[in-house]
Amino acid sequence: METGRLIRDLARSGVTEADALADRARIMAALAPYSPAGRDSGDGPAPGAPASGHGSGHALRVTRALAHDPSDARELAAWAAQLHISAKTLQRDFQREFGMPYTRWRTRLRLSAARALLGTEPVTRIARRVGYASPSAFVAAFAKEYGQTPARYTQSGAGGGRS
């Protein structure tokens, strides 16, 4: 199944939560950790994988919303206000549920979504779709996470490309 198509399906309006969560699960299953030249691809669970299951569920509500729209720019404090909890409580919930802070989780989600789109759209459009203010910021974040630029990643055959 083409992850790029699944992500485009998630982005369309009117998708039900059940369909979005099913698509998200298929996307996350397809995005096995990538490890260039032996480099560990992460410092905790994948963006969609809860670490412990012992949180209050607030972080999970945020992650569901962000799975629908990785470009959502809301900061932790805005999410906390929407959930009527403190930012500190939400940050602790992210740490418990996902083993990492909110900003790290959001970055990993965005880059995972971008990785699935590589080869299907120009980098400029992908950067915007996953929430980066500029293509250069996206390329820098991608290179920091995966050890190579999006272009090299795609050329190496690691990117999904068109099916």
Side-chain angles (χ1 to χ4, degrees), residues 58-150:
H58 296 299
L60 193 55
R61 288 179 65 189
V62 173
T63 63
R64 285 182 181 143
L66 287 171
H68 283 285
D69 181 10
S71 68
D72 189 321
R74 278 181 275 188
E75 296 296 327
L76 183 80
W79 285 109
Q82 182 178 331
L83 295 168
H84 306 290
I85 59 173
S86 73
K88 191 170 206 73
T89 295
L90 185 55
Q91 186 67 282
R92 280 193 298 258
D93 203 39
F94 261 92
Q95 197 64 47
R96 265 191 307 272
E97 288 291 327
F98 298 99
M100 65 187 78
Y102 167 75
T103 53
R104 177 76 181 127
W105 185 92
R106 184 179 64 183
T107 297
R108 291 188 74 201
L109 171 76
R110 287 176 171 179
L111 293 174
S112 291
R115 196 171 69 182
L117 291 170
L118 287 174
T120 66
E121 297 184 22
V123 167
T124 302
R125 188 175 306 147
I126 292 171
R128 189 175 48 251
R129 286 187 68 182
V130 299
Y132 284 88
S134 70
S136 61
F138 164 66
V139 169
F142 192 95
K144 181 178 178 184
E145 182 72 16
Y146 299 114
Q148 57 189 330
T149 66

Side-chain angles (χ1 to χ4, degrees), residues 149-160:
T149 66
R152 287 200 187 252
Y153 179 86
T154 303
Q155 290 168 354
S156 73

